[in-house]
Structure formats: C-alpha cells, structure tokens
Amino acid sequence: MTYILKNGRVVDPANGRDGIFDIEVRDGVIVRVGQDLPVPAGTTVLEVPAGCVVTPGLIDMHVHLREPGQEHKETVASGVTAAVAGGFTAVACMPNTSPINDSAAVTRYIRDKADAAGLARVYPIGAASVGSKGEQLAEIGELKTAGCVAVSDDGHPIRTALLMRRVLEYAGMLDVLVIDHCEDPTLKGDGVVHEGPVASELGLHGIPGEAEELWIERDITLAGLTRTPFHVAHLSTAGSLRAVRAGKARGIQVTCEVAPHHFVLTDEALRSYDTNTKMNPPLRPQADVDALVDGLADGSVDVIATDHAPHHADEKALSYDQAPFGITGLETAVSLTFDRLVHTGRIGLSRMVELLSVNPARILKVTGGALSEGAPADISVLAPDLKVTVRASTQRSLSRNMPFEGWDLRGGVAATIVGGRVVYRNTAVEGLGAWPPAAVQ
C-alpha cells in the first residue's frame, strides 16, 4: 500500500524538521518526506487532523510484559495493545518473567508472541545473571543472538561490584547495553516508601534516597573502569541526577531514564494509602521531583520510560506493606508528559520527541527515532490539545493498577503506525474517519 500523510506538523529533531511536511509511505517504508508532495496515481492521501503532530514512533525502553508465567497480569499481546494505544511503536521488556529471561528459549518465546500479536515491536532485555540471582553471569552472547538488546537484573540490582564489572566487560565486548535497577538492598531493608516525614507519620518503613544514589555511584565508577555504556533505570532522586551529571562530565558513557510517576507525583500521595502509589523506586519529596523536571528540561535526563508494571487487582488489594511495587504506565505517559511538561512550558515538543523516541532508539541501538527516507514507517500521531480523562476501565492492559483514575489531562494520542500499518486509531480525535481501520481503536 502506498499513502501520503498530508499536511501534518512534523516534529523530527534527528532530521532537523519542525514544520508542515508530507510523508509518503510505500510497502511499510518511508520513501519521501517533503513539503507539498505531489500525489501519484493510485496513492491514498491520509490527511493529518488539524492540530495533530507527526513524530517518529515512540519507544518505551522499560516495560514488564509478564509473559511467560504471569499471564493473569499481562500478556505480550495485551501489553503491545496497550503500547500502541499509548502511542508507542516499540517497547523493550524486562527479563523478570517466570521463568526469568536468561536463555535464548525464553527470548525466542517472547519474540514469537510479539510477532503473533503484530502490533508494537518488542525488544527483549535478557537477565544479566542466571535467574537474576546475582551469582553467575548469564550467557549474554546467546541472549544477544536470540534477540536481546540489553541485559539487566531489573527488579533486583546487579548484586556485587565484581559481578557488575564482569557484566560490563562481557556486554561491552558484545556491544550490549547494561541497565541496572540501582538500589542498595542493605539500606532498603524492608522499606516500602520513601524515608521521610510522610513515611513516619503513616507508620510505613522507609527507603532512603541514598540507597539509590550509592548504587548509581558504584555503577558509574565501574562503567568508567570498563569503558562500557551503562544505563540507569527509573532514576528518582536529585542526588542520583547529580551523580549522572558528574559521570557524564567525566566522559563516562552513562545515560538515565525517569518515569512519568516520578515527575508527576510526590510522597504526599501516600496519604491515600492507595497501593497504586506504591512503586520502586518510591515516590519522592517535591525537591526531588523538581530536580527531575529540571533534568528533563536541561538534557541531563536522556529518556522518559514508563516502568509499566501490571499487577492483578487482588494483589494490589493487600495491605500497603504486602502489596507489590509498581503501576501501569503505557497508556498515560503521553498525556502526563504533555500536561505536566509541555503545556507548562518546561519542555518543547522537540525535546519531548527526543525523550520518548530519539534517545531510546540511540541508546538501545534499535530502529526508529527519526523519520528518514528508507526507514521503516514507525510513526506516532499525537494530539497535543486532546482532552483526556483517565479511566482504568477503558485501558487495554490486563491490569488497572495506576493512581491517575479520573485525572483530566490535556494531550493524547491520535494514531500509531508500525511498519506502515495503522495499528491504532483514536475514535475521540476528529478527522481520522477516512483513515484505514486499525486493529486497536
């Protein structure tokens, strides 16, 4: 099929574009980008709705798809359905499935499930250690050959400095990214929320921010020692950001991501005792939130990633101490970013695209991040002024554990295109009626 996306504002920072452009797509590939492109005979014209923005496909480099082993929370199919509804053309999924993704067999299983779903691209992340137990190095070469784009023991920090050094050395030789969940388990103890006045008032065990900061300092030091790229998962404190900035200033190849809930919510939200405010890292005080927003604006933070962590309602119905950490995020990230960062003037659209598309593609070394001629047509069409009321009941994820129920937000997703195919079309956006039907709408 050949079609032209016509008269849309294209924001494509990797190619220096921000203006009205047409994009011609043929057989799943971008073949031309230009202004007022002629329409050859037999070519379909898809008018971009007024006010919408065309960007490179968004990439979420930190999600949990739960399959195999926890299909009551999420499957690969339901996860990628949520992804395209959230505007993401690709996701990278963490290895804490059951069994752990520490073998080529599990990696291939996930990829097969993603192929069968036929929606967003799925890039598996393999375990850094066997069983993510922090004892024995996983077969990183085998994982890369099977399709893993990075390694991590996410959910657990890579346990010892020596093992982290070996992971970095081995992954560096294989050109595989290392991602760590940075948290000193001895300082975390049995904490469930941020250590501070709110935790004390509520009688909940706290986790000091230093538990994260110490671990990040360790990993940055080892990344410098081994001269290997290292990525900090879900960074959440001002001190952690200082460590990343200092590492970058020393020339160490360190990057980091921030989750939307960490730049939107503070630990004051805990007063509801809603277990959907329980995540790891925990919600932090306002000073940390302010520092993260500054980092998102000034370029110190590289990526917005959701840490999409589905849990069944029965699990989140336990007491605060007993409920699992984590919330879903794929279907709220774009609206939260528009509402709290773009419309408040903290970042522009171009910076938003860098955080959600350009930089994830660059760091993971995967396709995407630019609307270039000859590239696969992975495209997100965003609606910056769409009025969105968040309702868990309308979300596509199998799980509904998120703390934004009923929030009114400005900004959302109009359509998602993967490999030239329109896979999601938002029926709430006017002007998409002539577009082809989508698998998700």
Side-chain angles (χ1 to χ4, degrees), residues 173-194:
M173 287 189 290
L174 294 167
D175 196 23
V176 172
L177 179 68
V178 178
I179 303 171
D180 201 12
H181 170 119
C182 295
E183 177 183 71
D184 186 321
T186 62
L187 270 182
K188 173 180 180 281
D190 58 358
V192 294
V193 297
H194 175 76

Side-chain angles (χ1 to χ4, degrees), residues 178-217:
V178 178
I179 303 171
D180 201 12
H181 170 119
C182 295
E183 177 183 71
D184 186 321
T186 62
L187 270 182
K188 173 180 180 281
D190 58 358
V192 294
V193 297
H194 175 76
E195 181 178 292
V198 177
S200 298
E201 289 177 37
L202 300 178
L204 296 170
H205 292 169
I207 306 170
E210 286 78 1
E212 177 179 301
E213 295 159 13
L214 279 172
W215 213 260
I216 289 176
E217 295 277 12

Side-chain angles (χ1 to χ4, degrees), residues 329-368:
L330 281 167
E331 295 172 82
T332 51
V334 165
S335 294
L336 290 169
T337 302
F338 268 127
D339 194 88
R340 299 306 172 93
L341 297 181
V342 176
H343 292 312
T344 57
R346 295 309 311 270
I347 66 171
L349 273 171
S350 180
R351 177 69 182 141
M352 177 178 175
V353 174
E354 288 177 357
L355 289 161
L356 284 162
S357 179
V358 179
N359 291 346
R362 172 178 56 82
I363 293 166
L364 291 173
K365 299 180 181 176
V366 299
T367 190

Side-chain angles (χ1 to χ4, degrees), residues 250-311:
R250 300 202 304 274
I252 295 172
Q253 301 174 74
V254 56
T255 54
C256 68
E257 68 191 33
V258 167
H261 46 267
H262 284 131
F263 65 74
V264 168
L265 296 169
T266 71
D267 59 350
E268 289 293 326
L270 307 177
R271 297 185 187 281
S272 65
Y273 276 106
D274 179 357
T275 56
N276 289 324
T277 63
K278 182 181 178 183
M279 57 277 289
N280 190 13
L283 297 176
R284 304 294 189 181
Q286 187 65 52
D288 286 316
V289 173
D290 292 343
L292 298 187
V293 172
D294 288 345
L296 287 159
D298 69 18
S300 303
V301 175
D302 300 278
V303 168
I304 292 174
T306 68
D307 193 10
H308 176 80
H311 290 291

